[in-house]
mmCIF file of all heavy atoms in Angstrom:
data_model
loop_
_atom_site.group_PDB
_atom_site.id
_atom_site.type_symbol
_atom_site.label_atom_id
_atom_site.label_comp_id
_atom_site.label_asym_id
_atom_site.label_seq_id
_atom_site.Cartn_x
_atom_site.Cartn_y
_atom_site.Cartn_z
ATOM 1 N N VAL A 58 23.483 2.242 0.165
ATOM 2 C CA VAL A 58 24.298 1.972 1.343
ATOM 3 C C VAL A 58 24.066 0.525 1.758
ATOM 4 O O VAL A 58 22.908 0.081 1.828
ATOM 5 C CB VAL A 58 23.921 2.925 2.498
ATOM 6 C CG1 VAL A 58 24.739 2.599 3.746
ATOM 7 C CG2 VAL A 58 24.117 4.376 2.076
ATOM 8 N N PRO A 59 25.135 -0.244 2.013
ATOM 9 C CA PRO A 59 24.933 -1.648 2.441
ATOM 10 C C PRO A 59 23.947 -1.724 3.596
ATOM 11 O O PRO A 59 24.024 -0.952 4.555
ATOM 12 C CB PRO A 59 26.345 -2.068 2.860
ATOM 13 C CG PRO A 59 27.248 -1.210 2.029
ATOM 14 C CD PRO A 59 26.548 0.121 1.938
ATOM 15 N N HIS A 60 23.018 -2.661 3.501
ATOM 16 C CA HIS A 60 21.942 -2.693 4.491
ATOM 17 C C HIS A 60 21.550 -4.132 4.793
ATOM 18 O O HIS A 60 21.925 -5.075 4.097
ATOM 19 C CB HIS A 60 20.715 -1.937 3.959
ATOM 20 C CG HIS A 60 20.148 -2.523 2.700
ATOM 21 N ND1 HIS A 60 19.116 -3.431 2.696
ATOM 22 C CD2 HIS A 60 20.476 -2.329 1.393
ATOM 23 C CE1 HIS A 60 18.830 -3.777 1.457
ATOM 24 N NE2 HIS A 60 19.642 -3.121 0.638
ATOM 25 N N ASP A 61 20.769 -4.274 5.862
ATOM 26 C CA ASP A 61 20.229 -5.572 6.266
ATOM 27 C C ASP A 61 18.724 -5.554 6.062
ATOM 28 O O ASP A 61 17.943 -5.365 6.990
ATOM 29 C CB ASP A 61 20.556 -5.868 7.740
ATOM 30 C CG ASP A 61 22.046 -6.033 7.973
ATOM 31 O OD1 ASP A 61 22.708 -6.608 7.104
ATOM 32 O OD2 ASP A 61 22.540 -5.565 9.016
ATOM 33 N N ASN A 62 18.299 -5.694 4.818
ATOM 34 C CA ASN A 62 16.872 -5.766 4.492
ATOM 35 C C ASN A 62 16.090 -4.555 4.984
ATOM 36 O O ASN A 62 15.082 -4.678 5.694
ATOM 37 C CB ASN A 62 16.264 -7.046 5.079
ATOM 38 C CG ASN A 62 16.947 -8.294 4.566
ATOM 39 O OD1 ASN A 62 17.262 -8.390 3.376
ATOM 40 N ND2 ASN A 62 17.207 -9.248 5.448
ATOM 41 N N ASP A 63 16.550 -3.365 4.613
ATOM 42 C CA ASP A 63 15.834 -2.148 4.985
ATOM 43 C C ASP A 63 14.421 -2.162 4.395
ATOM 44 O O ASP A 63 14.176 -2.735 3.331
ATOM 45 C CB ASP A 63 16.573 -0.908 4.475
ATOM 46 C CG ASP A 63 17.788 -0.581 5.333
ATOM 47 O OD1 ASP A 63 17.902 -1.148 6.430
ATOM 48 O OD2 ASP A 63 18.615 0.242 4.891
ATOM 49 N N LEU A 64 13.508 -1.490 5.086
ATOM 50 C CA LEU A 64 12.126 -1.412 4.629
ATOM 51 C C LEU A 64 12.005 -0.449 3.447
ATOM 52 O O LEU A 64 12.864 0.401 3.218
ATOM 53 C CB LEU A 64 11.221 -0.948 5.770
ATOM 54 C CG LEU A 64 11.112 -1.917 6.956
ATOM 55 C CD1 LEU A 64 10.387 -1.252 8.109
ATOM 56 C CD2 LEU A 64 10.402 -3.184 6.539
ATOM 57 N N VAL A 65 10.915 -0.603 2.702
ATOM 58 C CA VAL A 65 10.667 0.246 1.540
ATOM 59 C C VAL A 65 9.946 1.505 2.010
ATOM 60 O O VAL A 65 8.729 1.503 2.208
ATOM 61 C CB VAL A 65 9.825 -0.494 0.486
ATOM 62 C CG1 VAL A 65 9.601 0.390 -0.727
ATOM 63 C CG2 VAL A 65 10.511 -1.785 0.084
ATOM 64 N N VAL A 66 10.690 2.574 2.212
ATOM 65 C CA VAL A 66 10.134 3.832 2.703
ATOM 66 C C VAL A 66 10.425 4.925 1.682
ATOM 67 O O VAL A 66 11.586 5.150 1.317
ATOM 68 C CB VAL A 66 10.721 4.214 4.075
ATOM 69 C CG1 VAL A 66 10.176 5.559 4.542
ATOM 70 C CG2 VAL A 66 10.389 3.139 5.107
ATOM 71 N N ILE A 67 9.368 5.595 1.212
ATOM 72 C CA ILE A 67 9.514 6.649 0.213
ATOM 73 C C ILE A 67 8.709 7.868 0.663
ATOM 74 O O ILE A 67 8.139 7.885 1.766
ATOM 75 C CB ILE A 67 9.015 6.185 -1.165
ATOM 76 C CG1 ILE A 67 7.509 5.877 -1.109
ATOM 77 C CG2 ILE A 67 9.799 4.968 -1.638
ATOM 78 C CD1 ILE A 67 6.893 5.569 -2.466
ATOM 79 N N SER A 68 8.667 8.887 -0.184
ATOM 80 C CA SER A 68 7.806 10.045 0.052
ATOM 81 C C SER A 68 6.924 10.240 -1.174
ATOM 82 O O SER A 68 7.311 9.899 -2.299
ATOM 83 C CB SER A 68 8.630 11.305 0.312
ATOM 84 O OG SER A 68 9.415 11.640 -0.820
ATOM 85 N N VAL A 69 5.730 10.771 -0.962
ATOM 86 C CA VAL A 69 4.780 11.043 -2.041
ATOM 87 C C VAL A 69 4.221 12.443 -1.860
ATOM 88 O O VAL A 69 4.428 13.084 -0.831
ATOM 89 C CB VAL A 69 3.629 10.007 -2.060
ATOM 90 C CG1 VAL A 69 4.157 8.599 -2.263
ATOM 91 C CG2 VAL A 69 2.805 10.098 -0.766
ATOM 92 N N VAL A 70 3.504 12.914 -2.870
ATOM 93 C CA VAL A 70 2.852 14.221 -2.794
ATOM 94 C C VAL A 70 1.355 14.009 -2.877
ATOM 95 O O VAL A 70 0.854 13.411 -3.841
ATOM 96 C CB VAL A 70 3.314 15.145 -3.929
ATOM 97 C CG1 VAL A 70 2.573 16.483 -3.856
ATOM 98 C CG2 VAL A 70 4.824 15.366 -3.864
ATOM 99 N N THR A 71 0.636 14.475 -1.868
ATOM 100 C CA THR A 71 -0.823 14.350 -1.862
ATOM 101 C C THR A 71 -1.424 15.502 -1.078
ATOM 102 O O THR A 71 -0.806 16.013 -0.136
ATOM 103 C CB THR A 71 -1.274 13.005 -1.264
ATOM 104 O OG1 THR A 71 -2.678 12.848 -1.459
ATOM 105 C CG2 THR A 71 -0.961 12.908 0.219
ATOM 106 N N ALA A 72 -2.598 15.935 -1.467
ATOM 107 C CA ALA A 72 -3.294 17.045 -0.811
ATOM 108 C C ALA A 72 -2.417 18.288 -0.748
ATOM 109 O O ALA A 72 -2.470 19.062 0.207
ATOM 110 C CB ALA A 72 -3.749 16.644 0.589
ATOM 111 N N GLY A 73 -1.584 18.479 -1.774
ATOM 112 C CA GLY A 73 -0.748 19.669 -1.843
ATOM 113 C C GLY A 73 0.458 19.657 -0.936
ATOM 114 O O GLY A 73 1.134 20.677 -0.786
ATOM 115 N N ARG A 74 0.767 18.503 -0.334
ATOM 116 C CA ARG A 74 1.901 18.422 0.584
ATOM 117 C C ARG A 74 2.732 17.184 0.291
ATOM 118 O O ARG A 74 2.200 16.163 -0.139
ATOM 119 C CB ARG A 74 1.417 18.379 2.037
ATOM 120 C CG ARG A 74 0.770 19.662 2.522
ATOM 121 C CD ARG A 74 0.218 19.498 3.939
ATOM 122 N NE ARG A 74 -0.261 20.749 4.494
ATOM 123 C CZ ARG A 74 -1.457 21.273 4.248
ATOM 124 N NH1 ARG A 74 -2.300 20.624 3.455
ATOM 125 N NH2 ARG A 74 -1.810 22.423 4.780
ATOM 126 N N ARG A 75 4.024 17.300 0.554
ATOM 127 C CA ARG A 75 4.892 16.124 0.431
ATOM 128 C C ARG A 75 4.829 15.358 1.747
ATOM 129 O O ARG A 75 5.080 15.915 2.821
ATOM 130 C CB ARG A 75 6.335 16.526 0.132
ATOM 131 C CG ARG A 75 7.282 15.319 0.021
ATOM 132 C CD ARG A 75 8.652 15.722 -0.456
ATOM 133 N NE ARG A 75 8.628 16.158 -1.842
ATOM 134 C CZ ARG A 75 8.653 15.336 -2.889
ATOM 135 N NH1 ARG A 75 8.686 14.012 -2.701
ATOM 136 N NH2 ARG A 75 8.636 15.814 -4.114
ATOM 137 N N VAL A 76 4.511 14.100 1.639
ATOM 138 C CA VAL A 76 4.375 13.247 2.818
ATOM 139 C C VAL A 76 5.541 12.260 2.862
ATOM 140 O O VAL A 76 5.735 11.476 1.931
ATOM 141 C CB VAL A 76 3.034 12.472 2.794
ATOM 142 C CG1 VAL A 76 2.902 11.598 4.036
ATOM 143 C CG2 VAL A 76 1.864 13.443 2.694
ATOM 144 N N HIS A 77 6.310 12.318 3.935
ATOM 145 C CA HIS A 77 7.428 11.409 4.123
ATOM 146 C C HIS A 77 6.976 10.192 4.928
ATOM 147 O O HIS A 77 5.839 10.109 5.374
ATOM 148 C CB HIS A 77 8.576 12.126 4.837
ATOM 149 C CG HIS A 77 9.114 13.312 4.079
ATOM 150 N ND1 HIS A 77 10.082 13.199 3.108
ATOM 151 C CD2 HIS A 77 8.790 14.631 4.139
ATOM 152 C CE1 HIS A 77 10.352 14.394 2.607
ATOM 153 N NE2 HIS A 77 9.572 15.284 3.211
ATOM 154 N N ARG A 78 7.878 9.267 5.108
ATOM 155 C CA ARG A 78 7.604 8.049 5.885
ATOM 156 C C ARG A 78 6.398 7.286 5.335
ATOM 157 O O ARG A 78 5.445 6.970 6.055
ATOM 158 C CB ARG A 78 7.422 8.374 7.360
ATOM 159 C CG ARG A 78 8.659 8.984 7.997
ATOM 160 C CD ARG A 78 8.599 8.997 9.494
ATOM 161 N NE ARG A 78 9.862 9.456 10.071
ATOM 162 C CZ ARG A 78 10.176 9.369 11.358
ATOM 163 N NH1 ARG A 78 9.297 8.853 12.206
ATOM 164 N NH2 ARG A 78 11.342 9.791 11.798
ATOM 165 N N VAL A 79 6.446 7.012 4.045
ATOM 166 C CA VAL A 79 5.409 6.215 3.391
ATOM 167 C C VAL A 79 5.965 4.807 3.197
ATOM 168 O O VAL A 79 6.959 4.615 2.496
ATOM 169 C CB VAL A 79 5.017 6.829 2.032
ATOM 170 C CG1 VAL A 79 4.010 5.929 1.319
ATOM 171 C CG2 VAL A 79 4.452 8.231 2.234
ATOM 172 N N LEU A 80 5.340 3.837 3.833
ATOM 173 C CA LEU A 80 5.794 2.454 3.770
ATOM 174 C C LEU A 80 5.111 1.738 2.612
ATOM 175 O O LEU A 80 3.887 1.714 2.513
ATOM 176 C CB LEU A 80 5.476 1.720 5.079
ATOM 177 C CG LEU A 80 5.816 0.226 5.117
ATOM 178 C CD1 LEU A 80 7.321 0.014 5.014
ATOM 179 C CD2 LEU A 80 5.258 -0.423 6.374
ATOM 180 N N VAL A 81 5.912 1.148 1.723
ATOM 181 C CA VAL A 81 5.385 0.347 0.620
ATOM 182 C C VAL A 81 5.459 -1.114 1.042
ATOM 183 O O VAL A 81 6.543 -1.657 1.242
ATOM 184 C CB VAL A 81 6.194 0.570 -0.673
ATOM 185 C CG1 VAL A 81 5.631 -0.283 -1.804
ATOM 186 C CG2 VAL A 81 6.168 2.046 -1.057
ATOM 187 N N ASP A 82 4.302 -1.742 1.204
ATOM 188 C CA ASP A 82 4.227 -3.102 1.742
ATOM 189 C C ASP A 82 3.426 -3.982 0.791
ATOM 190 O O ASP A 82 2.204 -3.887 0.715
ATOM 191 C CB ASP A 82 3.579 -3.079 3.120
ATOM 192 C CG ASP A 82 3.586 -4.443 3.793
ATOM 193 O OD1 ASP A 82 4.069 -5.415 3.169
ATOM 194 O OD2 ASP A 82 3.116 -4.534 4.934
ATOM 195 N N GLN A 83 4.106 -4.861 0.066
ATOM 196 C CA GLN A 83 3.414 -5.758 -0.856
ATOM 197 C C GLN A 83 2.576 -6.799 -0.130
ATOM 198 O O GLN A 83 1.745 -7.469 -0.746
ATOM 199 C CB GLN A 83 4.431 -6.458 -1.758
ATOM 200 C CG GLN A 83 5.201 -5.507 -2.647
ATOM 201 C CD GLN A 83 6.130 -6.227 -3.596
ATOM 202 O OE1 GLN A 83 5.710 -6.741 -4.633
ATOM 203 N NE2 GLN A 83 7.409 -6.278 -3.260
ATOM 204 N N GLY A 84 2.765 -6.933 1.179
ATOM 205 C CA GLY A 84 1.971 -7.882 1.943
ATOM 206 C C GLY A 84 0.641 -7.317 2.398
ATOM 207 O O GLY A 84 -0.190 -8.039 2.940
ATOM 208 N N SER A 85 0.416 -6.033 2.188
ATOM 209 C CA SER A 85 -0.821 -5.402 2.643
ATOM 210 C C SER A 85 -1.877 -5.425 1.552
ATOM 211 O O SER A 85 -1.608 -5.114 0.389
ATOM 212 C CB SER A 85 -0.552 -3.954 3.072
ATOM 213 O OG SER A 85 -1.765 -3.307 3.397
ATOM 214 N N SER A 86 -3.085 -5.773 1.923
ATOM 215 C CA SER A 86 -4.193 -5.819 0.972
ATOM 216 C C SER A 86 -4.944 -4.498 0.902
ATOM 217 O O SER A 86 -5.966 -4.407 0.239
ATOM 218 C CB SER A 86 -5.171 -6.932 1.366
ATOM 219 O OG SER A 86 -5.718 -6.655 2.647
ATOM 220 N N ALA A 87 -4.450 -3.469 1.584
ATOM 221 C CA ALA A 87 -5.145 -2.183 1.599
ATOM 222 C C ALA A 87 -4.140 -1.047 1.605
ATOM 223 O O ALA A 87 -2.992 -1.199 2.028
ATOM 224 C CB ALA A 87 -6.063 -2.082 2.822
ATOM 225 N N ASP A 88 -4.572 0.102 1.114
ATOM 226 C CA ASP A 88 -3.803 1.347 1.223
ATOM 227 C C ASP A 88 -4.343 2.092 2.440
ATOM 228 O O ASP A 88 -5.545 2.357 2.527
ATOM 229 C CB ASP A 88 -3.962 2.189 -0.039
ATOM 230 C CG ASP A 88 -3.460 1.454 -1.280
ATOM 231 O OD1 ASP A 88 -2.332 0.929 -1.228
ATOM 232 O OD2 ASP A 88 -4.193 1.409 -2.283
ATOM 233 N N VAL A 89 -3.457 2.442 3.346
ATOM 234 C CA VAL A 89 -3.879 2.970 4.646
ATOM 235 C C VAL A 89 -3.279 4.350 4.892
ATOM 236 O O VAL A 89 -2.091 4.575 4.641
ATOM 237 C CB VAL A 89 -3.460 2.016 5.782
ATOM 238 C CG1 VAL A 89 -3.722 2.643 7.142
ATOM 239 C CG2 VAL A 89 -4.208 0.692 5.655
ATOM 240 N N MET A 90 -4.112 5.237 5.375
ATOM 241 C CA MET A 90 -3.640 6.522 5.891
ATOM 242 C C MET A 90 -3.991 6.568 7.372
ATOM 243 O O MET A 90 -5.134 6.294 7.759
ATOM 244 C CB MET A 90 -4.306 7.704 5.165
ATOM 245 C CG MET A 90 -3.923 9.064 5.759
ATOM 246 S SD MET A 90 -4.661 10.468 4.873
ATOM 247 C CE MET A 90 -3.751 10.409 3.331
ATOM 248 N N PHE A 91 -3.031 6.909 8.192
ATOM 249 C CA PHE A 91 -3.283 6.935 9.625
ATOM 250 C C PHE A 91 -3.961 8.247 10.012
ATOM 251 O O PHE A 91 -3.763 9.290 9.363
ATOM 252 C CB PHE A 91 -1.982 6.720 10.387
ATOM 253 C CG PHE A 91 -1.401 5.354 10.151
ATOM 254 C CD1 PHE A 91 -0.413 5.148 9.199
ATOM 255 C CD2 PHE A 91 -1.875 4.263 10.862
ATOM 256 C CE1 PHE A 91 0.095 3.882 8.961
ATOM 257 C CE2 PHE A 91 -1.374 2.995 10.635
ATOM 258 C CZ PHE A 91 -0.390 2.799 9.680
ATOM 259 N N TRP A 92 -4.760 8.180 11.055
ATOM 260 C CA TRP A 92 -5.585 9.315 11.463
ATOM 261 C C TRP A 92 -4.746 10.552 11.763
ATOM 262 O O TRP A 92 -5.143 11.680 11.457
ATOM 263 C CB TRP A 92 -6.420 8.926 12.677
ATOM 264 C CG TRP A 92 -7.345 9.990 13.173
ATOM 265 C CD1 TRP A 92 -7.312 10.605 14.379
ATOM 266 C CD2 TRP A 92 -8.458 10.558 12.471
ATOM 267 N NE1 TRP A 92 -8.328 11.527 14.481
ATOM 268 C CE2 TRP A 92 -9.042 11.507 13.313
ATOM 269 C CE3 TRP A 92 -9.004 10.347 11.207
ATOM 270 C CZ2 TRP A 92 -10.156 12.264 12.946
ATOM 271 C CZ3 TRP A 92 -10.113 11.101 10.822
ATOM 272 C CH2 TRP A 92 -10.675 12.042 11.689
ATOM 273 N N SER A 93 -3.575 10.361 12.335
ATOM 274 C CA SER A 93 -2.694 11.487 12.625
ATOM 275 C C SER A 93 -2.252 12.181 11.337
ATOM 276 O O SER A 93 -2.131 13.411 11.287
ATOM 277 C CB SER A 93 -1.469 11.010 13.416
ATOM 278 O OG SER A 93 -0.760 10.017 12.687
ATOM 279 N N THR A 94 -2.023 11.401 10.279
ATOM 280 C CA THR A 94 -1.647 11.980 8.992
ATOM 281 C C THR A 94 -2.807 12.752 8.388
ATOM 282 O O THR A 94 -2.621 13.837 7.815
ATOM 283 C CB THR A 94 -1.198 10.871 8.023
ATOM 284 O OG1 THR A 94 -0.182 10.093 8.644
ATOM 285 C CG2 THR A 94 -0.677 11.454 6.730
ATOM 286 N N PHE A 95 -4.003 12.204 8.497
ATOM 287 C CA PHE A 95 -5.204 12.887 8.005
ATOM 288 C C PHE A 95 -5.312 14.274 8.634
ATOM 289 O O PHE A 95 -5.605 15.261 7.945
ATOM 290 C CB PHE A 95 -6.440 12.047 8.324
ATOM 291 C CG PHE A 95 -7.737 12.650 7.854
ATOM 292 C CD1 PHE A 95 -8.216 12.379 6.586
ATOM 293 C CD2 PHE A 95 -8.471 13.479 8.687
ATOM 294 C CE1 PHE A 95 -9.412 12.933 6.141
ATOM 295 C CE2 PHE A 95 -9.665 14.042 8.257
ATOM 296 C CZ PHE A 95 -10.138 13.771 6.980
ATOM 297 N N ASN A 96 -5.071 14.368 9.930
ATOM 298 C CA ASN A 96 -5.147 15.650 10.631
ATOM 299 C C ASN A 96 -4.020 16.590 10.213
ATOM 300 O O ASN A 96 -4.221 17.804 10.061
ATOM 301 C CB ASN A 96 -5.118 15.431 12.142
ATOM 302 C CG ASN A 96 -6.387 14.780 12.657
ATOM 303 O OD1 ASN A 96 -7.476 15.020 12.125
ATOM 304 N ND2 ASN A 96 -6.263 13.947 13.680
#
Side-chain angles (χ1 to χ4, degrees):
V58 178
H60 61 94
D61 295 322
N62 301 318
D63 283 347
L64 295 170
V65 181
V66 177
I67 63 173
S68 63
V69 300
V70 178
T71 188
R74 292 176 173 82
R75 179 172 291 278
V76 181
H77 299 274
R78 298 194 174 191
V79 176
L80 176 65
V81 180
D82 185 358
Q83 297 184 80
S85 175
S86 62
D88 299 311
V89 172
M90 175 178 290
F91 295 96
W92 182 243
S93 58
T94 307
F95 180 89
N96 290 327

